[in-house]
């Protein structure tokens, strides 16, 4: 019961107005404000809280990406993680990096670091995949507690309250396990300046996917990215008959 | 204040300050070109990590409207700020602070300025002036004793200079410090008014006068000494919080000292050297004001732009109308100049310059007036909405008013800028005068000076140039600046020839000289910044170029008008009229002319 691994992803800040690149190959990221994925913040907060309750000895923050990913790891360190691991993925590899490859990396690291718990955000706000946690658990053949709004350690088991469409589901799973954080799990703390200063002394290890024996070739190819169609003006009708006529006209019925 | 400031300043060698040299009609580019870039990679990275949490705190936790209506900073916010480390930003890390450089401090203070000036003053009164004296003049015992608790915010600090009869005339303070018979402590007696954090502080930097034996003449003279005073020494009380127009969240109160025993170890700096301590503290913190206000302006400009881009009247979005466009553009220029001044000065200070007092004063005057204008125009763009409490801009406007008054009123600082400049130019002329007495031995120097003057008075260039310092795309604006400096130099000399030492009393002249100096420094600062952006190929470089060019053309016009006015006889008459009007008003206790209706 000693180590928690937390995944943190660097994404375009939630407040930024996202724009599609003129060549429709993706969205504009140059010069755009980036920050830690909000669900990853919640994951970090939960991991640090568990450590503060003395249920775990060490929290390791992991991020996959180019050099700037270390900024996100530092934020996690400032929130209370003990050390970081930066898995370097750059250029075209980074553009095509998706949940399958990331989950392979996390699975390899979870084994290498002998983690008892892997906590991830339920999804990233840039791709909304909601897959990495699930895939990581499957690759490790570990139980998973996804969409967690409550996490409690009971001995060598984890009790997870999950937010599902119908309401709340409570499950108990054995550790080692993968948990993904949902919105209401906690409220992430503010990194204070003294903690940011302390974080400067914490270590961030650097490695490549190949060092973990992971092949990150993508099986997906993005063909085109478009903005959602602009919302057209509506039409007001006077009577139900008019409505039916218009719907027939537009081919809806 | 000005006189004493000048007399206590001892300049050794050639000054590197651009402002000092421009008064002599010279260009010293070393502190202004290129635009300073003083943060190393580690400092930049660290600063980049600090910005998001502080921004987040001010966006999500601090409630400026609540603070304004409560007339105090909410307790939970104060706690959050303390945890955040916001109370010891420039205290060295080994004493519990964040150890920021001036430039890093400026960047963070910008965030505070953008969101809540009331909190800004609470923080600033504490660290920018409240305990700055300990940072600048404290011995290691004093630093170790006081700084850790001040850095954590466990104790708050306040700067106690102003008294009922001593505002701008700081040297006239009456609070006394008398050495006790045992010689171990001083007894402090007196009262201070309008002290920010006065009701909250534990540690006070207090200025009091005491009789000191003048070493040369042997007579006793009253001199000011600075003291670190703890409320726990006993005898320190304070009045209720003042009800103010703005920065209501900041506590402002009277502080009374009744036979407060202050140990002799608590003298800050030299005995009798308190005036210099006070002026250094104020001077050292000035760049912070420009930085904070550049943030304030950015905030209200966003609101104005948001409104102009969405509001439709007469069938079009109002930002398509020329009147609105002019307002927005002028707001942008004023913010650009202020921001450029703030970071140029903080950059100079971080590079070790000790010679920045004129520039700091200029930046305070400019920033406070620019911010007032920008907030005012923002309300105008927003129309009725701007006037409503809910928009938040009226609070910013109320908060801004004090910035033209405290920390040296803009009127006094203008005199300071002008007189300082005259003093340096005067010294230069004096040294020329000396050289004149031995013309053969100084032929080269004199020939050069004569030629320069002849050419200047004929309106010809004297070879002064900014070429090589500024980007070629800005050469027209650069020429305007050089031309303005030449004319300015001539004007300064003419004023000295005309008035000599009496220039001290010619405040109409001094004000116009100061206005020109401010406009000139502003031109140089934007030339430097825009040049850097063009050289570095920033995406915004072309936009900055037109900000710079527009500013320079208009600033140049203003400078030339001031130069003409100072030459013309009709303005001399205007000055006489002004004097007469004012005298009559004082005699009449108000306006003089009888009512048009006769009653």
């Amino acid at each position: 019961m000693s180590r928690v691994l937390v995944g943190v992803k660097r994404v375009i800040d939630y407040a930024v107005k996202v724009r599609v690149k003129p060549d429709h190959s993706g969205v504009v990221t140059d010069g755009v404000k980036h920050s830690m994925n909000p669900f990853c913040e919640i994951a970090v907060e939960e991991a640090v809280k568990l450590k503060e309750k003395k249920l775990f000895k060490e929290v390791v923050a992991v991020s996959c990406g180019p050099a700037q990913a270390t900024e996100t790891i530092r934020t996690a360190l400032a929130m209370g993680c003990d050390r970081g691991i930066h898995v370097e993925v750059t250029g075209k590899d980074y553009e095509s990096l998706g949940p399958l490859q990331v989950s392979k990396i996390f699975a390899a690291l979870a084994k290498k670091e002998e983690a008892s718990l892997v906590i991830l955000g339920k999804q990233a706000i840039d791709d909304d995949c909601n897959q990495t946690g699930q895939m990581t658990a499957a690759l490790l053949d570990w139980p998973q507690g996804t969409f967690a709004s409550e996490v409690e350690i009971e001995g060598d088991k984890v009790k997870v309250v999950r937010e599902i469409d119908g309401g709340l589901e409570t499950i108990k799973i054995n550790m080692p396990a993968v948990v993904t954080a949902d919105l209401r799990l906690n409220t992430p703390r503010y990194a204070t300046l003294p903690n940011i200063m302390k974080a400067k002394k914490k270590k961030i290890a650097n490695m490549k996917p190949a060092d973990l024996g992971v092949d990150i070739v993508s099986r997906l190819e993005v063909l085109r990215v478009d903005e959602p169609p602009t919302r057209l003006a509506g039409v007001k009708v006077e009577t139900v008959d008019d409505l039916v006529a218009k719907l027939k006209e537009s081919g809806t019925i | 204040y000005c006189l004493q400031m000048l007399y206590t300043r001892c300049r050794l060698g050639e000054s590197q300050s651009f402002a000092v040299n421009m008064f002599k009609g010279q260009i010293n580019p070393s502190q202004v070109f290129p635009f300073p870039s003083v943060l190393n990679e580690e400092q930049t990275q660290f600063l980049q990590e600090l910005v998001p949490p502080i921004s987040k705190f001010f966006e999500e936790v601090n409630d400026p409207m609540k603070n304004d209506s409560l007339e105090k900073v909410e307790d939970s916010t104060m706690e959050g700020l303390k945890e955040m480390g916001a109370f010891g930003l420039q205290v060295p890390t080994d004493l519990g602070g964040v150890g920021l450089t001036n430039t890093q401090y400026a960047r963070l203070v910008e965030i505070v300025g953008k969101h809540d000036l009331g909190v800004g003053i609470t923080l600033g009164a504490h660290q920018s002036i409240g305990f700055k004296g300990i940072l600048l003049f404290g011995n290691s015992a004093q630093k170790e004793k006081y700084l850790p608790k001040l850095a954590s915010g466990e104790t708050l600090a306040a700067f106690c200079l102003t008294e009922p009869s001593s505002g701008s005339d700081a040297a006239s303070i009456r609070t006394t410090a008398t050495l006790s018979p045992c010689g171990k402590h001083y007894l402090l007696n007196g009262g201070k008014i309008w002290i920010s954090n006065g009701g909250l502080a534990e540690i006070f930097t207090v200025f009091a006068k005491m009789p000191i034996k003048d070493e040369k003449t042997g007579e006793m003279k009253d001199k000011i000494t600075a003291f670190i005073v703890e409320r726990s020494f006993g005898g320190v009380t304070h009045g209720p919080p003042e009800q103010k127009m703005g920065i209501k969240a900041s506590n402002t109160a009277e502080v009374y000292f009744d036979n407060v025993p202050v140990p002799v170890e608590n003298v800050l700096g030299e005995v009798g050297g308190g005036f210099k301590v006070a002026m250094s503290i104020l001077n050292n913190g000035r760049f912070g004001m420009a930085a904070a206000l550049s943030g304030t302006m950015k905030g209200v400009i966003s609101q104005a732009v948001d409104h102009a881009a969405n509001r439709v009247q007469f069938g079009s979005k109002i930002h398509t109308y020329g009147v609105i466009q002019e307002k927005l553009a002028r707001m942008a220029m004023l913010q650009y100049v202020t921001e450029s001044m703030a970071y140029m000065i903080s950059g100079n200070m971080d590079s070790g310059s000790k010679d920045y007092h004129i520039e700091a004063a200029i930046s305070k005057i400019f920033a406070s007036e620019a911010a007032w204008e920008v907030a005012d125009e923002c309300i105008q763009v927003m129309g009725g909405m701007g006037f409503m409490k809910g928009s938040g801009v009226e609070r910013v406007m109320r908060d801004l008013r004090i910035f033209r008054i405290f920390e040296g009123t803009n009127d006094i600082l203008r005199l300071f800028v002008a007189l300082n400049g005259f003093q340096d130019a005067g010294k230069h002329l004096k040294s020329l005068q000396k050289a004149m007495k031995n013309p053969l031995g100084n032929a080269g120097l004199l020939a050069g000076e004569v030629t320069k003057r002849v050419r200047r008075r004929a309106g010809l260039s004297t070879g002064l140039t900014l070429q090589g310092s500024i980007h070629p795309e800005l050469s027209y604006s650069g020429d305007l600046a050089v031309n303005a400096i030449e004319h300015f130099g001539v004007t300064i000399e003419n004023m000295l020839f005309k008035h000599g030492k009496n220039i001290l009393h010619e405040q109409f002249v001094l004000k116009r000289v100061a206005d020109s100096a401010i406009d000139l420094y502003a031109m140089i600062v934007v030339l430097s910044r825009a040049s850097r952006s063009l050289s570095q190929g920033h995406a915004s470089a072309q936009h900055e170029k037109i900000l710079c060019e527009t500013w320079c053309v208009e600033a140049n016009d203003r400078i030339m008008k001031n130069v003409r006015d100072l030459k013309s006889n009709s303005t001399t008459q205007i000055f006489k009229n002004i004097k007469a009007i004012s005298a009559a008003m004082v005699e009449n206790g108000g306006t003089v002319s009888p009512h048009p209706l006769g009653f």
Side-chain angles (χ1 to χ4, degrees), chain B residues 52-233:
Chain B
I54 302 241
S55 303
K56 203 168 167 200
F57 184 84
F58 277 93
E59 278 156 32
E60 296 175 11
V61 178
N62 184 56
D63 187 346
M65 271 191 218
K66 196 79 183 286
N67 294 342
D68 183 63
S69 69
L70 285 176
E71 299 200 18
K72 77 178 261 214
V73 179
E74 284 185 288
D75 289 335
S76 50
T77 304
M78 276 299 256
E79 280 313 304
L81 285 167
K82 287 179 190 178
E83 272 166 31
M84 194 47 58
F87 282 86
L89 296 172
Q90 290 196 281
V91 173
T93 49
D94 60 351
L95 288 171
V98 189
L100 298 181
T101 63
N102 294 306
T103 303
Q104 291 171 317
Y105 179 74
R107 182 62 185 87
L108 297 188
V109 147
E110 204 187 293
I111 303 173
V112 185
K114 181 172 176 193
H115 289 99
D116 194 332
L117 285 170
V119 170
I121 293 304
T122 305
L123 291 173
H126 168 76
Q127 58 193 313
S128 205
I129 52 174
F131 68 76
K132 189 59 89 67
I134 304 179
L135 276 175
L136 296 176
F137 295 95
N139 57 42
S140 34
Q142 292 166 334
K143 285 182 177 170
E144 275 164 35
K145 181 170 185 191
Y146 292 108
L147 290 179
K149 286 198 181 147
L150 289 165
S152 69
E154 194 182 323
T155 53
L156 290 183
F159 181 83
C160 298
L161 177 62
T162 305
E163 296 177 9
S165 58
S166 306
S168 290
D169 189 8
S172 70
I173 55 171
R174 294 191 198 162
T175 300
T176 54
T178 342
L179 192 58
S180 67
C182 61
K184 291 221 179 104
H185 50 262
Y186 291 92
L187 286 177
L188 228 56
N189 275 291
K192 300 286 183 184
I193 56 167
W194 298 335
I195 304 301
S196 296
N197 292 347
L200 310 172
E202 225 0 88
I203 308 293
F204 301 85
T205 303
V206 186
F207 299 87
K209 65 173 186 162
M210 55 167 84
I212 308 264
K213 199 171 197 174
D214 187 312
E215 277 169 22
K216 291 184 212 150
T217 64
E219 59 175 293
M220 297 300 266
K221 251 188 156 168
D222 269 341
K223 291 210 120 175
I224 298 174
T225 303
F227 298 92
I228 305 173
V229 179
E230 296 180 37
R231 194 185 281 269
S232 62
F233 289 160

Side-chain angles (χ1 to χ4, degrees), chain A residues 14-15 33-35 41 70-71 74-75 78-79 187-200, chain B residues 42 45-46 48-50 52-54 56-57 59-61 82-86 89 93 97-100 108:
Chain A
Y14 75 89
K33 184 172 179 210
H34 282 67
S35 41
E41 279 181 355
T70 53
E71 290 165 19
R74 273 208 201 82
T75 308
M79 286 172 73
T187 308
R189 64 194 63 191
Y190 293 96
T192 65
L193 304 192
N195 283 344
I196 295 175
M197 282 166 57
K198 283 195 206 124
K200 281 204 277 184
Chain B
E42 198 249 314
Q45 204 179 66
F46 183 45
Q48 281 176 319
E49 288 176 47
L50 300 181
I54 302 241
K56 203 168 167 200
F57 184 84
E59 278 156 32
E60 296 175 11
V61 178
K82 287 179 190 178
E83 272 166 31
M84 194 47 58
L89 296 172
T93 49
V98 189
L100 298 181
L108 297 188

Side-chain angles (χ1 to χ4, degrees), chain B residues 3 142 169 213 240 246 350 372 389 530 532 573:
Chain B
L3 279 186
Q142 292 166 334
D169 189 8
K213 199 171 197 174
D350 284 339
W372 177 255
K389 216 168 170 181
R532 186 180 73 165
Q573 185 56 48

Side-chain angles (χ1 to χ4, degrees), chain B residues 433-499:
Chain B
Q433 242 184 1
K434 272 198 187 149
M436 289 284 268
K437 295 198 177 135
N438 180 10
L440 294 176
N442 289 299
L445 165 71
L446 290 175
E449 292 286 336
V450 167
T451 318
K452 190 167 84 179
R453 276 164 184 72
V454 165
R455 287 186 71 82
R456 279 206 174 145
R457 280 148 212 288
L460 297 171
S461 136
T462 57
L464 268 193
T465 179
L466 286 175
Q467 243 183 52
S469 295
I470 59 174
H471 195 273
E473 275 186 60
L474 295 170
S475 53
Y476 176 67
S477 304
D479 290 342
L480 286 179
V482 169
N483 183 258
I485 294 174
E486 305 236 26
H487 278 97
F488 184 70
V490 169
T491 306
I492 296 298
E493 273 188 11
N494 287 345
M495 291 297 110
L496 276 173
F497 290 148
K498 185 173 179 185
H499 299 283

